Amino acid sequence: QVQLVESGGGSVQAGGSLRLSCVVSGDSFSRRCMGWFRQVQGKEREGVAGIDGGGNRVYPDSVKGRFTISRDNAKNTLYLQMNSLKPDDTAMYYCAASDSWYCTRLQSTTFAYWGQGTQVTVSS
């Protein structure tokens, strides 16, 4: 079974930074596309970063240049470094794992395993 546990969320002022972590248990961490998603009440879950089994990264325009996804395969840990945070970044952030090597889409339905979420709040 694949389990994911996020940490690192909190409250920060606009322009500040946070680093989220996701510790993953189970097989094949280094060979999976891993992603970060966020969701606010009443809106669709939105992919904000993905990294495939070869270390290739993908971001939507809304976070490109501000967020960086990385992975430490030796520690089975995924990270999301968030800089220049904006109030619109406020959301519950989720770590997710795919059964695929590639991050073909940052779409929630392509990720089979999910963490419990960690709240990020950005004040203006």
Side-chain angles (χ1 to χ4, degrees):
Q1 184 179 13
V2 177
Q3 293 184 323
L4 306 91
V5 180
E6 303 98 330
S7 62
S11 297
V12 65
Q13 290 187 326
S17 298
L18 285 172
R19 190 194 196 201
L20 307 183
S21 299
C22 173
V23 178
V24 182
S25 63
D27 294 336
S28 304
F29 170 78
S30 65
R31 301 192 297 275
R32 299 179 185 273
C33 166
M34 301 293 300
W36 287 97
F37 290 75
R38 66 188 182 188
Q39 189 170 29
V40 298
Q41 284 287 348
K43 299 195 70 175
E44 294 284 330
R45 190 167 295 191
E46 175 191 21
V48 298
I51 183 167
D52 70 16
N56 301 297
R57 298 176 293 186
V58 60
Y59 309 94
D61 290 341
S62 59
V63 309
K64 193 173 297 182
R66 300 188 298 120
F67 290 12
T68 302
I69 188 171
S70 61
R71 65 198 301 163
D72 185 338
N73 290 335
K75 297 181 177 180
N76 277 21
T77 302
L78 183 75
Y79 302 98
L80 184 67
Q81 179 67 46
M82 303 185 291
N83 298 327
S84 301
L85 283 162
K86 305 174 180 180
D88 284 348
D89 296 320
T90 295
M92 186 73 74
Y93 282 72
Y94 298 90
C95 175
S98 172
D99 283 325
S100 175
W101 175 280
Y102 295 105
C103 300
T104 305
R105 300 180 182 182
L106 288 179
Q107 184 176 357
S108 61
T109 53
T110 67
F111 291 79
Y113 313 101
W114 294 85
Q116 82 290 341
T118 186
Q119 178 68 38
V120 171
T121 302
V122 184
S123 60
S124 61

